[in-house]
Amino acid sequence: GTVTANGTEGKGGTIAVAAPQGVSVEATGRVSANGTEGGSISLSAAAGAVSVAGSVTANATTGRAGDVALNAASSANLLAGGLASASGGLGGGSVSIKGGNAVTLESGSTVDVTGASGGTVAVQSEFGTVFAQGVIDARASDGIGGSVQLAALSDITLDTGSQILVGGRRGGEAKIQSTEGTLLASGLIDGQGSGGPGGLVWMLAPRVGLTRESVLNVSGIAGGGTVSIEGEDITNAGLIQANAGDNAVAGNISMVARNLLILDSTSGV
């Protein structure tokens, strides 16, 4: 089905959908609060799951995008083909995805907060895990890249094929933090600055692992950005870049392990 509160010549409206045991947007489902400025959409399940295989959008044509929030007591799932979008002309809006026990972003799913300046994305599992295979896009076409934060009590997995994009004329920021688990990265985190400095990437967990497929890039024309990796045990087999353009200063890469640090033979820094 389709639920819309679109504003053809004005701001999108407000849509709030709540059900105790669960909310599901099927592959053909559409929920939209688009307009010259984006509106607001909330899907929540006080005792169950929220799953999106269709599209949930609060986009803007000329102004700033709106807000999309998926809140679930158990699991919040952006399934293959699912779209959560708050993209806009002047700037991206915000997308928040929170699942008490788990958050899953399947392969083929997209979170989009792009715009002239990048928006904000918050993904959180207060008591469980985050598993990401899809794309989180907070790039800026003309300004500073957006902000992406992933947080979980337990494990965070950025699987092969996952992308976190916070580039712009100046790079944005990405912070991935597990309080008690393992942060395993096999995808791409890109915070490059196309006309200015690169962005900031933090990876924080008791155990941090970057596989051979992982790439962290905060290079910038006007200067490299900053990558900070902290944990008890850190293993890097991937590629980390904070390069700079001609006559600019390269960035900073920090890996601080309180117990064990392993640089695999395939790693590049």
Side-chain angles (χ1 to χ4, degrees):
T2 301
V3 178
T4 64
N6 298 327
T8 305
E9 298 182 359
K11 183 177 180 178
T14 298
I15 298 174
V17 178
Q21 295 304 315
V23 174
S24 179
V25 179
E26 301 299 322
T28 57
R30 302 288 182 268
V31 182
S32 64
N34 305 325
T36 55
E37 296 182 12
S40 175
I41 299 174
S42 172
L43 308 181
S44 60
V50 173
S51 298
V52 174
S55 68
V56 180
T57 62
N59 298 332
T61 54
T62 57
R64 190 165 294 277
D67 305 297
V68 171
L70 313 180
N71 296 305
S74 59
S75 64
N77 310 295
L78 194 59
L79 305 178
L83 171 66
S85 177
S87 63
L90 284 182
S94 70
V95 172
S96 172
I97 302 175
K98 296 182 179 181
N101 298 325
V103 175
T104 300
L105 309 177
E106 288 188 355
S107 178
S109 68
T110 302
V111 177
D112 184 355
V113 293
T114 57
S117 59
T120 62
V121 176
V123 176
Q124 180 183 9
S125 179
E126 186 176 0
F127 307 111
T129 62
V130 171
F131 184 81
Q133 294 177 305
V135 175
I136 299 176
D137 194 346
R139 287 176 293 180
S141 60
D142 193 43
I144 302 174
S147 172
V148 174
Q149 296 196 29
L150 276 64
L153 178 69
S154 189
D155 297 343
I156 297 177
T157 302
L158 306 178
D159 204 26
T160 303
S162 67
Q163 297 183 45
I164 297 175
L165 309 174
V166 293
R169 287 190 62 80
R170 295 171 60 97
E173 60 182 45
K175 183 177 183 180
I176 300 95
Q177 183 170 16
S178 166
T179 306
E180 298 181 359
T182 297
L183 195 175
L184 182 64
S186 301
L188 169 67
I189 301 177
D190 191 327
Q192 295 186 71
S194 61
L200 308 172
V201 173
W202 294 272
M203 304 190 75
L204 312 171
R207 295 165 297 280
V208 181
L210 278 66
T211 72
R212 298 182 182 188
E213 293 80 14
S214 67
V215 176
L216 278 61
N217 194 340
V218 292
S219 300
I221 293 297
T226 297
V227 174
S228 179
I229 302 173
E230 297 182 19
E232 293 292 328
D233 301 324
I234 298 172
T235 300
N236 178 33
L239 175 64
I240 304 174
Q241 296 177 305
N243 302 320
D246 295 342
N247 302 316
V249 178
N252 301 301
I253 298 171
S254 170
M255 286 183 279
V256 178
R258 292 180 288 276
N259 181 46
L260 178 66
L261 173 63
I262 298 174
L263 297 179
D264 188 89
S265 60
T266 61
S267 67
V269 177

